[in-house]
Amino acid sequence: APVQKKKVFKPTFEQVVTFAKSLQEEDWKVTENIKEETGTGTIKFSKGKVQFLILQSTSSDYRITFLATEKKWSTILTGVKGVTIPKNAKGNKWLKFVNKGVGETSVIKSFIRESVKGANEEIANIQKAKEEEKQRRAEAKKLAKQQQAQEENI
């Protein structure tokens, strides 16, 4: 059987993974599912409950699916060739980039940096929503108490 020539990627998938891991903070969770023989599979990055980066290696390409910030999402989508909206994205700030050969290392690194900012923004949004909900509940409780007091004074 003819030996299949292994496709050369720039930067390599390993380099992309190494770069992503170099940014790792204490609260990150990295889930790896890579087949040793083929080097194909998926590595998922999450922070708290928020997943923000998925690196996927196939035999013909590798894919970077990442969470972007609200501010940068459309700029990256319209300004960078090869960036698309993933089909089954949860929420509306995911983007996907497929490298089939040679990609700009600096651009790929910027996607990964952006994904970290996207995660932080998402976490802040969740936190803000929780705080607002807490305030609403406190207000409702206060109103209920005032109403009760008024009723008792009738």
Side-chain angles (χ1 to χ4, degrees), residues 79-130:
V80 185
K81 206 169 145 272
V83 173
T84 57
I85 301 170
K87 281 184 189 75
N88 49 3
K90 282 190 186 86
N92 55 358
K93 290 186 292 190
W94 283 95
L95 293 171
K96 183 177 187 174
F97 174 77
V98 179
N99 187 4
K100 294 179 186 292
V102 177
E104 287 275 339
T105 303
S106 60
V107 172
I108 289 171
K109 283 182 172 180
S110 76
F111 294 158
I112 295 170
R113 280 196 201 94
E114 179 63 17
S115 76
V116 179
K117 290 178 189 159
N120 290 336
E121 183 180 83
E122 191 60 26
I123 289 165
N125 287 346
I126 291 168
Q127 197 51 45
K128 196 173 149 205
K130 276 184 186 164

Side-chain angles (χ1 to χ4, degrees), residues 8 11-12 37 46 62 68-69 72 76 82 91 97 105 107 111 113 123 126-128 132-133 141 143 148 150:
V8 178
T12 65
E37 324 77 71
S46 53
Y62 64 78
T69 55
K72 287 276 183 75
I76 295 171
F97 174 77
T105 303
V107 172
F111 294 158
R113 280 196 201 94
I123 289 165
I126 291 168
Q127 197 51 45
K128 196 173 149 205
E132 285 168 359
E133 180 60 27
K141 222 174 181 174
L143 282 171
Q148 202 179 356
Q150 278 174 342

Side-chain angles (χ1 to χ4, degrees), residues 14-114:
E14 290 72 26
Q15 285 170 327
V16 174
V17 171
T18 302
F19 177 71
K21 286 182 175 174
S22 75
L23 302 174
Q24 192 165 345
E25 294 162 23
E26 271 172 39
D27 57 352
W28 286 23
K29 194 169 155 240
V30 181
T31 314
E32 298 196 34
N33 188 356
I34 300 281
K35 292 190 184 85
E36 277 199 19
E37 324 77 71
T38 57
T40 58
T42 311
I43 301 177
K44 295 176 178 177
F45 293 79
S46 53
K47 195 173 164 129
K49 289 184 176 149
V50 176
Q51 186 167 280
F52 62 91
L53 179 64
I54 304 163
L55 302 176
Q56 190 180 15
S57 172
T58 72
S59 53
S60 59
D61 60 32
Y62 64 78
R63 296 138 199 212
I64 300 170
T65 308
F66 62 101
L67 194 58
T69 55
E70 237 156 286
K71 207 166 76 182
K72 287 276 183 75
W73 186 86
S74 59
T75 318
I76 295 171
L77 181 62
T78 53
V80 185
K81 206 169 145 272
V83 173
T84 57
I85 301 170
K87 281 184 189 75
N88 49 3
K90 282 190 186 86
N92 55 358
K93 290 186 292 190
W94 283 95
L95 293 171
K96 183 177 187 174
F97 174 77
V98 179
N99 187 4
K100 294 179 186 292
V102 177
E104 287 275 339
T105 303
S106 60
V107 172
I108 289 171
K109 283 182 172 180
S110 76
F111 294 158
I112 295 170
R113 280 196 201 94
E114 179 63 17

Side-chain angles (χ1 to χ4, degrees), residues 2-13:
V3 177
Q4 250 196 329
K5 225 174 90 176
K6 207 167 183 280
K7 201 163 172 185
V8 178
F9 293 104
K10 238 183 123 176
T12 65
F13 184 69

Side-chain angles (χ1 to χ4, degrees), residues 142-154:
K142 207 166 110 186
L143 282 171
K145 259 192 182 153
Q146 284 173 348
Q147 230 169 351
Q148 202 179 356
Q150 278 174 342
E151 282 167 14
E152 284 167 8
N153 290 337
I154 293 169

